[in-house]
Structure formats: structure tokens, C-alpha cells
Amino acid sequence: MTRDALLHIVGSGPAGLAAAHAALDAGAAVCLIDDNHAPGGQIWRGGPGRWTDARATRMWTALHDHPRFTHLAGTQVIGCADANTLLVEAADGGATIPFQRLLLCTGARELSLPFPGWTLPGVTGAGGLQALIKGGMPVRDRTVVVAGTGPLLLATAATALQAGARVAAIVEHQPWSRLGGFGLALLARHKAKFAQAVSLFAALRTVPYVTGARIVAAAGDDILRGVTVTVQGRETHYACDFLGAGFGLVPNTDLGRALGCATADGAILVDAMQKTSRANVWAAGECTGIGGVDKAVAEGRRAALAALGLHPAARDAPALRAAHAFAGLLARTFAPNDALKTMYRPDTIVCRCEDVTAAQLLPHRDWREAKLATRVGMGPCQGKTCGPACAFLFGWTPPDSRIPILPASARALSSIE
């Protein structure tokens, strides 16, 4: 590969950093675009000085200040001007970025499911709460509950404890029998993951871990005061200042769909070399399916080399197979089940941007019909929160991606030539 090759990468999480590192090693130039001001994405949030994963530090050390590396931090991609041109917005306004090879590492967002009180100040997603704490939100001597389903609950609880919070409970929706099977599968086929889980549980040994449970309601006046959960028909109330409610992740496919990339099962569809259905566009990491940091790193490396016309190293294949196997295990174990559809009530807000309740949505057959009759999905998030929720609750196909895919200022849009 000649040094004239330029690879544009959107997203600087584990997949994006791994891809940029592999591309530089191959002799290409890299332009890494990310809306955060520090690299790392959600998994490696906080920037180089706060990372605990040696891989992140090693890759960023190689990338930072490299003459063939350009980092456009604080720059959000808001759409595409044409098939090979991105529209971006930064602090100094809007711009266009043409590309020849584009790699999407756009990550995922949380699946937010409605329940009474979920719009109260103090209630966030589990990952959102973790990000706020890592970003410096003070929680020392405050009480936290994390509830929902998935390993992110444990990670969020550990982050809260390390920041000095009291964690009243971890409330996991899946029953202990399913969690036990997950642990045995880790021990048999993913020993490093099993060791991580054991270490995490050891750090959380003083925190009540409630399984087979479901949120009933969050309560408070102007702010959150507590949350009620039910276990086998018996309700328990926890007083708390913060509730992190997480029900899993959904791939962030907005930019991929805006570019015309095909999707399947809610993720960007890729082949064995991470190639999308669009010419000159590849994808890697959580946007191609939820699987964690190892999957993201392995796919990022493979996608970068494929985009440059190179063959991936044979030594990377076992890691990628193991990462995909772990992703499948996660999906089978922690997929939200129908019991979570009983959390909302008719007067529960589903679209929080436009205050659309479940009762207003229930008479409609699909997203389009509901949107014609209500303002669902017409707020600033453009259906990014309520769209996946409605897909889960009512079986509706999520809304199409529209440009701008993120809220953009009139100043930025007017400055784009």
C-alpha cells in the first residue's frame, strides 16, 4: 500500500483506534473524526490519562503526533452531501469532507425502555450514568441503584463505587438460572472474560445483587427519590439519588443508513472483511452488532486492512472468532424479553422529546401511522430514543435516518458550501 492512501474513520472508540493504528502500520494516512474531544469512545471514556486498558494507551501513543495521522476531535458528522462526501460540524462551523475509503466505527447507544418515573431528573441509562461519573459528576456519599439487564449494570455499579457512591442494589432482570449458564459458558470458552467477571463481582461483593427482578416505577417530586422493583410478585423500594436503568445496547446505524448501507437485525450489514453494501465503505465495532471491546478491536483491525486492499494477518482470525462467539453468547443471555413490555402504563411517556404517551401510541399499527397522528420521533433526538423502544414494545420498524442525523446549528448548515 502506498503512502498516498487515505482512510477516513468515523469514531475513536476501540474499533476506530484499532483501525487507525493498523492503517498507519500499513503505511496509509488516517483522518479520524469524532464528536468527543478525547479519544476512546464510551468503553475507553476519559482520555489517555485515565485509561486502564493497556491496548488503548499503546495505540494512542503510536497515533498521537504521527505525521500521517489527523485527529478531528469535537467534530460531529451530521450527514452526507453526496455518496462520497461527509457533512460535519465543529466549533468553527460546518464543512464537507470528501472521502475515497470510509470506515464507520460509530458504536452503539443504550436501549431506553419506558416505565413510570423514567423522565425524572436523576434517572439515566446505565451507560449514561457511568459516562456522567467518568466525566466528573459528583456522586460521593450519594445513593445509586442500577437496574435492567446486562454486564453494563456491573460496570456502572463498579464505577459508582470507585467514585465514592453507595450502591443500594444491582437489579438484574434475567433469572439466576440464565446468569449461571452464562457464567459456565464463560468458564468453558472465554476464560479471560470469566476472570474479568469474577474480579468485578469481587469488587461488588458488598452490593446486593437481585436477579429475576423488574422495575415497577421510579418515584420523586421534582427529582428522583427512589425506585420500586418487583421480584416474584413481591415489591421492594430502594431510596436513591440516581437510577441507572440499562436494557442493553442498540447499534448506531444512523450514518450508515444515511450513506445507503444495508442493515440486518438492527446493525450495519457487513461481509467477512467488514465491507458494507456500499462501495468504499466499511464498518466495524458495535455498529455491526453488540459484542464488546475485543470484537471492536479485532473488527477495526480487519476493516482497516481490507479498506486498504490488504489481507488481514492469519493470527487475528482466532481472536475475531472468539469475539463473535462471545457476542452471540451476550445476545442469547441478555436479550430483553417480553416481561419488560409490562413496565409501562398507559400514561407513561414513551417519546420524551414530545411528551407522547403510550396511550397515544397504542391505537396505531406502525411508526408511520403513529407519527402522522402524534409528534412521536419529531423532537431533537429524531426518534433515536423512542424509535428502538417502539420497535421493542410494539414491533414497529424504526424510523428512517434523516439528514442531519444529529441536531445541527443553522450557522453550521449555512456555512457548508
Side-chain angles (χ1 to χ4, degrees):
M1 175 56 57
T2 68
R3 292 181 181 270
D4 294 331
L6 173 60
L7 176 63
H8 285 84
I9 302 172
V10 179
S12 67
L17 291 182
H21 186 250
L24 283 186
D25 275 354
V30 172
C31 178
L32 182 62
I33 307 168
D34 193 74
D35 56 355
N36 291 305
H37 291 282
Q42 174 62 22
I43 295 178
W44 290 337
R45 180 172 287 276
R50 301 178 65 181
W51 289 333
T52 57
D53 193 322
R55 291 174 294 182
T57 301
R58 175 177 56 82
M59 289 189 288
W60 183 248
T61 299
L63 293 171
H64 186 56
D65 290 334
H66 194 288
R68 286 185 276 111
F69 177 67
T70 301
H71 185 208
L72 299 182
T75 302
Q76 63 177 16
V77 179
I78 59 177
C80 46
D82 57 44
N84 294 290
T85 306
L86 299 176
L87 300 177
V88 302
E89 180 179 8
D92 56 354
T96 58
I97 300 179
F99 64 85
Q100 292 181 327
R101 305 169 187 84
L102 179 66
L103 172 52
L104 304 178
C105 301
T106 50
R109 60 173 63 95
E110 287 193 82
L111 172 63
S112 296
L113 297 180
F115 52 87
W118 78 294
T119 60
L120 280 169
V123 181
T124 67
L129 179 59
Q130 184 184 48
L132 288 169
I133 296 172
K134 288 183 176 181
M137 184 180 75
V139 294
R140 181 168 295 280
D141 298 326
R142 309 294 295 279
T143 303
V144 170
V145 172
V146 290
T149 188
L152 184 55
L153 303 185
L154 302 178
T156 299
T159 299
L161 274 184
Q162 291 166 5
R166 296 184 295 268
V167 181
I170 301 168
V171 180
E172 168 60 59
H173 177 64
Q174 302 297 342
W176 184 250
S177 58
R178 180 179 290 266
L179 298 173
F182 177 71
L184 290 175
L186 290 184
L187 180 61
R189 297 188 292 276
H190 307 280
K191 287 184 170 54
K193 297 289 186 186
F194 180 80
Q196 291 174 9
V198 170
S199 177
L200 198 52
F201 270 109
L204 297 167
R205 61 187 177 277
T206 62
V207 178
Y209 186 58
V210 185
T211 63
R214 174 176 53 81
I215 297 173
V216 175
D221 35 38
D222 54 338
I223 60 173
L224 176 71
R225 302 296 182 184
V227 59
T228 300
V229 304
T230 180
V231 186
Q232 296 180 345
R234 186 176 68 254
E235 292 189 355
T236 301
H237 183 80
Y238 297 98
C240 60
D241 302 295
F242 298 100
L243 169 62
F247 303 97
L249 303 173
V250 290
N252 183 355
T253 62
D254 295 330
L255 181 56
R257 287 184 291 137
L259 287 162
C261 300
T263 60
D265 298 322
I268 297 176
L269 185 64
V270 294
D271 64 14
M273 300 304 292
Q274 305 302 131
K275 179 76 170 58
T276 73
S277 62
R278 255 292 316 274
N280 303 322
V281 179
W282 290 257
E286 304 285 68
C287 64
T288 69
I290 307 305
V293 62
D294 294 338
K295 171 181 175 293
V297 169
E299 287 188 352
R301 285 182 50 81
R302 172 165 290 218
L305 296 176
L308 298 172
L310 303 173
H311 293 290
R315 66 178 182 275
D316 292 338
L320 188 59
R321 285 195 297 270
H324 284 164
F326 177 68
L329 179 62
L330 278 179
R332 292 190 299 273
T333 304
F334 296 104
N337 62 39
D338 286 349
L340 293 176
K341 296 179 181 180
T342 66
M343 290 193 301
Y344 74 88
R345 299 171 188 165
D347 61 348
T348 302
I349 290 174
V350 176
C351 173
R352 59 191 308 165
C353 291
E354 296 293 334
D355 290 343
V356 181
T357 66
Q360 293 172 283
L361 296 174
L362 285 170
H364 304 294
R365 294 170 296 179
D366 54 33
W367 180 267
R368 182 178 181 275
E369 185 177 288
K371 193 171 181 180
L372 287 172
T374 72
R375 289 191 56 81
V376 64
M378 297 176 71
C381 90
Q382 299 183 14
K384 292 179 177 61
T385 300
C386 58
C390 288
F392 173 73
L393 295 174
F394 313 130
W396 296 351
T397 300
D400 292 333
S401 180
R402 305 194 312 272
I403 297 173
I405 60 174
L406 293 169
S409 66
R411 173 174 172 266
L413 294 174
S414 65
S415 66
I416 296 173
E417 298 180 357

